[in-house]
Amino acid sequence: MNSVLNKQVQQVTKVFTDLSWHEISQHFFSRLLLIVVTLLLFCVLLWLGRLIIDHLFVESNHVKFLQSSNRVATIHALTLNIYRYTCYFFLLYAILSEIGVPVGTLIAGAGIFSIALGLGAQGFVSDMVTGFFILLEQQLDVGDVVKVDSIKGTVTALGLRTTQITSSDGTLNYIPNRNITTVQNFSRNNMVANVDIRISAKAPLEKIAEIISAENKKLVATIPELRSTPVIVGPVNVGGQLVFRVTITTQNGVQDKIASRFLSDYLKALRKDKIPLGWDNESSPSQNS
């Protein structure tokens, strides 16, 4: 028993003794050096490609069909995304080839693995196809204020796989493109905002209309973002509360700010004339837009 064990130990020792450790170390370091050079070349190509793409899109500002800055930013971000993914693919292929992995043979004879990979990549392909049609149909552009499901914010990036939306509180949301079904885009058309002033049932409606008309004449001349003259709707019932409503149409993205300014000026003028308001005994007014 001991002789057999000793014989096996001698055989194992002989195998390790016969190995050319110098050649192995030389081969290892040559491969490592080749990988390092490949990584450096990849970084240079990535930097150079990004520089060229950035320059091309700076020049594209002179192209007529790309005059929209949001559209240019969207295509710019998507082009960088595609270039980056392409570089990563070739980098992985090059490194696997350098360490001796027969990538071509594996791809050709993967069999069941290819099927499993294909099934797993369905989501990725769906993301890319959906992202392509979002870009083609111009549903979203970088800089647009949108609402996707329950997420509302500004589109900061539109990629092959995900769309990034930054909420008003700074939260960065990553949404897979295949999950984007219904999109509300607040940056394409003029926006309508309702300025609601709570009033008392005893308030003189004609007097309120006169005061608001006078304020509108003052404000219209100072707010270029207005797209039409404010419309005095008059008294309406909102949730059981009597309000005097004025509707304003503004450039998209500034409707809340302008509605707040109108409401502030209305309140100052109404209080100056001692018009009874519905929130005189409450802590704060309301504004719906």
Side-chain angles (χ1 to χ4, degrees):
M1 182 67 179
N2 291 334
S3 61
V4 174
L5 182 61
N6 290 333
K7 186 176 180 181
Q8 291 177 348
V9 171
Q10 289 176 359
Q11 289 177 348
V12 172
T13 304
K14 186 174 183 301
V15 170
F16 278 96
T17 304
D18 293 343
L19 288 175
S20 176
W21 292 105
H22 176 71
E23 292 182 3
I24 292 175
S25 61
Q26 188 176 11
H27 179 75
F28 172 78
F29 283 110
S30 64
R31 295 287 183 178
L32 182 61
L33 180 61
L34 190 58
I35 291 174
V36 171
V37 172
T38 302
L39 288 172
L40 291 175
L41 181 61
F42 164 77
C43 292
V44 171
L45 287 175
L46 200 61
W47 171 80
L48 186 61
R50 185 183 182 91
L51 193 66
I52 293 172
I53 292 172
D54 288 344
H55 176 72
L56 290 176
F57 274 91
V58 169
E59 295 296 327
S60 70
N61 289 327
H62 303 293
V63 181
K64 291 184 178 180
F65 74 92
L66 289 176
Q67 284 183 350
S68 171
S69 60
N70 286 353
R71 192 65 179 161
V72 172
T74 301
I75 301 176
H76 184 189
L78 188 61
T79 304
L80 286 173
N81 200 297
I82 293 173
Y83 180 74
R84 185 167 60 249
Y85 274 114
T86 303
C87 287
Y88 283 138
F89 172 78
F90 283 107
L91 174 67
L92 179 62
Y93 184 91
I95 291 178
L96 289 176
S97 299
E98 288 167 0
I99 62 178
V101 177
V103 181
T105 305
L106 287 177
I107 293 176
I112 296 176
F113 176 75
S114 296
I115 297 175
L117 183 62
L119 292 174
Q122 284 182 352
F124 179 76
V125 174
S126 179
D127 286 334
M128 289 201 303
V129 172
T130 305
F132 171 76
F133 281 106
I134 287 175
L135 181 66
L136 182 66
E137 297 172 358
Q138 300 185 24
Q139 298 176 22
L140 304 174
D141 278 328
V142 173
D144 285 354
V145 177
V146 301
K147 185 176 182 181
V148 178
D149 293 331
S150 60
I151 299 174
K152 182 178 180 180
T154 303
V155 178
T156 51
L158 181 60
L160 283 176
R161 197 178 67 83
T162 60
T163 295
Q164 299 176 28
I165 297 178
T166 303
S167 302
S168 57
D169 61 355
T171 302
L172 183 59
N173 305 279
Y174 292 86
I175 305 175
N177 289 335
R178 64 180 180 274
N179 292 341
I180 299 177
T181 53
T182 303
V183 178
Q184 292 177 288
N185 196 320
F186 302 98
S187 298
R188 297 298 171 82
N189 300 319
N190 295 328
M191 300 300 294
V192 176
N194 293 327
V195 181
D196 291 345
I197 307 167
R198 293 183 186 179
I199 58 175
S200 169
K202 299 179 181 180
L205 300 181
E206 293 182 357
K207 181 64 174 177
I208 292 175
E210 290 178 6
I211 294 173
I212 289 178
S213 295
E215 290 301 313
N216 286 342
K217 290 179 181 179
K218 297 177 184 177
L219 290 168
V220 167
T222 60
I223 302 178
E225 293 85 359
L226 280 176
R227 290 297 177 259
S228 64
T229 303
V231 177
I232 298 177
V233 178
V236 294
N237 190 331
V238 178
Q241 174 66 50
L242 182 64
V243 302
F244 195 94
R245 173 168 293 178
V246 180
T247 300
I248 59 175
T249 303
T250 72
Q251 174 187 331
N252 59 68
V254 295
Q255 64 272 14
D256 291 336
K257 179 181 178 181
I258 294 177
S260 177
R261 180 175 174 184
F262 270 84
L263 178 59
S264 176
D265 283 22
Y266 290 161
L267 291 178
K268 291 176 183 178
L270 291 171
R271 291 189 183 280
K272 183 178 180 181
D273 282 87
K274 299 182 180 179
I275 302 296
L277 302 177
W279 52 58
D280 281 337
N281 296 326
E282 299 178 11
S283 57
S284 62
S286 70
Q287 174 188 327
N288 299 323
S289 61

